[in-house]
Amino acid sequence: MRKAATKIFTGSRIRHQRDRAGMTQSALALRLGISASYLNQIEHDIRPLPLPLLGTLCDIFAVGADYFSDTEETRGIQALREILADPVFDTDAIRLDSIQAAMRAAPDLCAQFVRLYRAYLLRQEHTAAPLVGAAASSHARHDDAPDRVEPYEAVNDWVQLQRNYFDEVDRTAERQFEMMRLDEGSPREQLTRYLLDHHGIRTQTDLGLGQRGIMWRMDRRARTIFLSRILPAESSTFWMAQALGQIEHQAVFARTIRRSRLRESEARGLARVYLTNYFAGALLLPYERFRVTAREVRHDLERLQRHFGVSFEQACHRLSTMQRPGSEGIPFYFLKTDIAGNILKSFSANRFTQSRFGGPCPLWNIFRAFSTPQQVQVQLSQTTDGALYLNIARTVGRSSISYLDRPRLTAVVLGCSIADAEHLVYSAGLDLNDPRMIIPIGPGCRACTREDCHHRALPMVGHRVDINNEGRGIAPYRTAL
């Protein structure tokens, strides 16, 4: 099942790091113990990067090995393939090897092309939507401004660029955990006592908060944190940890955001919210303790839940952040969706790439999870780029508190490369070498290239549909030859 090692072409990233360090090609070649001409060929992707040089480059530029992998290149290629499937482009004139060459030679230019296409789609949506009152004035302001990426998308891109790991925030939370000794009793009780003793802030339940769609709020004048009574215990603990981060570590969040490329105030505000959430997760699940425990229990999510007193979703999300240089965990992707297929969260520390311009594949086990609430669904899958994954999916969220209550139905999926499957308890009993166990999943019907899929709901964009009425396949849409 394991594929042969892929040749690494990463010339642009080596060149970028060398330029940042102010180092000549000859100087870097000398430190690598190779000739300048050989390094020149590597930097221009004439030759792949030899694996023995990978560790030396990581030491020289103080980056992780994944920086030089093809993960970001794979995501970029997938995004370009989806975009170029739009009928506005002449797809017959663009081959896959041309897209790959463009990503290797000019990744920044390709990223700007993706940004431009997003702005184009955003303008299309605003033009098509009926506008009334305040929405119309907002649209007018939008028309006057240059096209831009939506703030939440900009933040998602930034988080993905960091591989969902923020070192200063993570280490700050880890030190706070040790200082507070959160493992010596109930984390909720420890946090309640700490907030009161160090900041004079009380914690109180507000019976009406949940009815207004608010889970918690902080009244600084009354020096009180109000929590909704419908919150599960682990959620209440998480929100108190988030409040602590807001009170004590705004400077850490500000420094992290200053190092980003986020410039709009709305995007920076959303980034602050994200980092506050990140801090809360890192405080309740301190990096090294969590990494070691996860390895010991073979990443059994239920055991991790009980050990640390967190929710299933919190344990899944934390596993997707374990990318501390020199102490990396298994690279996971993490995704959360509602029952309609709307993506609520999406991060990836491996090659997995979710469709950026279409809906998710219905064959994914995250959708099967909705038919078996609170039960773990395990799946082996293969994406259209040939990568194999072990996926774990389950519904998450609170249960109903009354007959008339309508809690949001959501599910999460956590996935890793099949090469790491042996380290997960979820691989027990699976024949990883049986191709019949593998479910082919795609990036959404419009961009998926699998012609024979029985679950296709829409034709491939950019291809003519076969309108022959003398025969019909299982799929309702077939591509004309």
Side-chain angles (χ1 to χ4, degrees), residues 6-73:
T6 303
K7 293 181 179 180
I8 303 174
F9 290 92
T10 186
S12 62
R13 274 163 277 189
I14 296 174
R15 195 161 55 246
H16 176 69
Q17 287 295 329
R18 181 172 60 77
D19 291 341
R20 284 186 61 186
M23 189 181 299
T24 65
Q25 204 171 66
S26 299
L28 178 57
L30 184 64
R31 294 189 62 175
L32 292 173
I34 59 177
S35 67
S37 60
Y38 186 25
L39 177 58
N40 183 65
Q41 290 178 321
I42 293 173
E43 287 194 1
H44 287 85
D45 289 328
I46 298 172
R47 293 198 179 195
L49 173 67
L51 285 178
L53 297 183
L54 181 59
T56 308
L57 281 170
C58 292
D59 292 339
I60 292 172
F61 297 124
V63 295
D66 288 324
Y67 176 84
F68 296 108
S69 75
D70 64 351
T71 300
E72 291 305 317
E73 180 178 303

Side-chain angles (χ1 to χ4, degrees), residues 164 232 234-235 238-239 274 277 281 285 290 301-302 304-305 309-321 333-337 344-347 374 376 392-398 408-414:
N164 200 18
E234 60 268 18
S235 297
F238 182 86
W239 294 126
Y274 178 82
N277 285 331
L285 301 165
F290 185 72
L301 290 157
E302 285 87 352
L304 289 172
Q305 271 187 269
V310 297
S311 70
F312 187 89
E313 180 181 346
Q314 288 164 4
C316 286
H317 187 273
R318 187 57 169 149
L319 282 176
S320 75
T321 70
Y333 78 81
F334 169 81
L335 186 140
K336 181 179 180 180
T337 180
L344 308 178
K345 297 179 184 177
S346 179
F347 312 109
Q374 304 303 306
V376 172
I392 306 106
R394 205 199 81 171
T395 55
V396 295
R398 65 176 181 84
R408 191 177 199 178
L409 297 176
T410 57
V412 296
V413 60
L414 189 73

Side-chain angles (χ1 to χ4, degrees), residues 130-141:
L131 303 168
V132 190
S137 61
S138 172
H139 178 71
R141 290 194 302 272

